[in-house]
Amino acid sequence: MHETLKTLSQTNNNQVILTTHSSSFIDLENYKSIIIAQKRTIEEGTKIKQCSENLFLELDDRKKINLIYWINPERSELFFAKKIILVEGQTDKTIIPFLAKKLNVFKNEYTIIDCGSKDNMPLYIKLLNGFKLNYIVVYDRDHQANKDANGINSANISTAGIENVLDARYGTSIVLINDIEEEIGIIERNNKNKPFIALSLVSELNYEIPNQIQNKINTIYG
């Protein structure tokens, strides 16, 4: 249906206007055609958000963001959220809402987007800035004890890439020291089944959520 309507709009000067709550109809390649209509209160009335500027001037960035969407089209849900929570990967996406529910601060209207990596985050931030959407970026400091100077320098470069594109009018950031595993108290590291191992820990009946991550979860969902 999406492809049919898109083809129709490109032939014989047809104009197609589609209203939807389905992320399946979001096509990031043509993001300038996306219009978000929101009505928070009767007094405010309906507000329109549309991005007409060129967000991805570099061909590599445009290609990369499109590939990310093809791999995981559910990321289009960000266009329908009251607030977007950007995280690095699946472990963060699994643990953060789980802990939020345990702390009774979880909100269904907040959407968590797994960006795939820390270095992908600036692409999403540019997109959210362009549409003036509210967001919070949760990323790792990545200064783990086993990292050498080069590894720490690389992590700092990735951090700067995120902070340099943040727009304080719409978003802010939360830094995990050094990652979600360390925050919840995992000592022994295993690169396999990380989300499962982390979820197994926080699901234990006697597990107590550390104060530091509690504060961060409260801020994320505040």
Side-chain angles (χ1 to χ4, degrees):
M1 176 66 76
H2 173 269
E3 288 303 313
T4 300
L5 292 172
K6 182 178 176 181
T7 301
L8 181 63
S9 72
Q10 295 169 337
T11 58
N12 301 323
N13 294 318
N14 293 309
Q15 184 180 40
V16 176
I17 299 174
L18 168 72
T19 61
T20 181
H21 288 96
S22 170
S23 59
S24 298
F25 283 90
I26 299 297
D27 182 3
L28 191 60
E29 188 175 358
N30 297 297
Y31 64 84
K32 291 182 182 180
S33 70
I34 299 171
I35 298 175
I36 302 171
Q38 296 176 325
K39 184 173 173 183
R40 304 292 190 199
T41 64
I42 295 174
E43 292 75 22
E44 270 189 25
T46 301
K47 301 289 185 181
I48 296 298
K49 295 181 179 180
Q50 185 176 19
C51 180
S52 58
E53 62 185 281
N54 292 322
L55 297 178
F56 309 111
L57 297 176
E58 296 181 16
L59 185 60
D60 285 348
D61 282 352
R62 183 184 295 274
K63 182 179 179 181
K64 193 172 184 180
I65 197 76
N66 282 328
L67 286 175
I68 291 168
Y69 264 72
W70 273 106
I71 292 169
N72 192 342
E74 74 172 21
R75 293 182 172 110
S76 298
E77 291 177 6
L78 65 87
F79 289 100
F80 301 92
K82 185 175 181 180
K83 184 177 180 181
I84 300 99
I85 304 167
L86 298 180
V87 299
E88 289 190 33
Q90 277 297 316
T91 306
D92 308 276
K93 187 176 181 180
T94 302
I95 297 302
I96 289 173
F98 184 88
L99 294 181
K101 288 176 182 178
K102 290 190 75 169
L103 295 169
N104 295 316
V105 296
F106 179 79
K107 296 177 182 177
N108 281 310
E109 63 269 29
Y110 287 16
T111 292
I112 298 186
I113 302 297
D114 161 18
C115 297
S117 77
K118 187 175 180 178
D119 290 327
N120 286 339
M121 288 181 152
L123 298 174
Y124 283 93
I125 295 170
K126 288 179 184 178
L127 182 68
L128 298 175
N129 288 341
F131 280 92
K132 299 178 174 61
L133 298 176
N134 296 323
Y135 63 88
I136 186 163
V137 187
V138 184
Y139 66 87
D140 301 342
R141 182 167 176 251
D142 282 327
H143 281 201
Q144 291 87 345
N146 62 338
K147 285 197 171 177
D148 59 15
N150 287 334
I152 290 175
N153 183 58
S154 177
N156 290 343
I157 291 172
S158 297
T159 294
I162 292 170
E163 295 295 335
N164 288 341
V165 295
L166 277 177
D167 190 324
R169 292 174 295 176
Y170 316 118
T172 186
S173 63
I174 291 283
V175 183
L176 301 178
I177 312 292
N178 285 295
D179 51 32
I180 193 71
E181 289 90 351
E182 198 166 307
E183 291 271 5
I184 63 175
I186 291 179
I187 299 172
E188 294 184 8
R189 295 307 182 94
N190 189 336
N191 289 327
K192 293 182 179 179
N193 301 321
K194 288 167 61 176
F196 178 78
I197 292 170
L199 189 58
S200 297
L201 173 66
V202 299
S203 298
E204 293 177 1
L205 291 176
N206 60 348
Y207 177 76
E208 294 186 11
I209 306 172
N211 289 333
Q212 183 170 266
I213 190 65
Q214 274 197 48
N215 294 335
K216 290 175 181 177
I217 296 293
N218 287 327
T219 300
I220 291 168
Y221 283 91

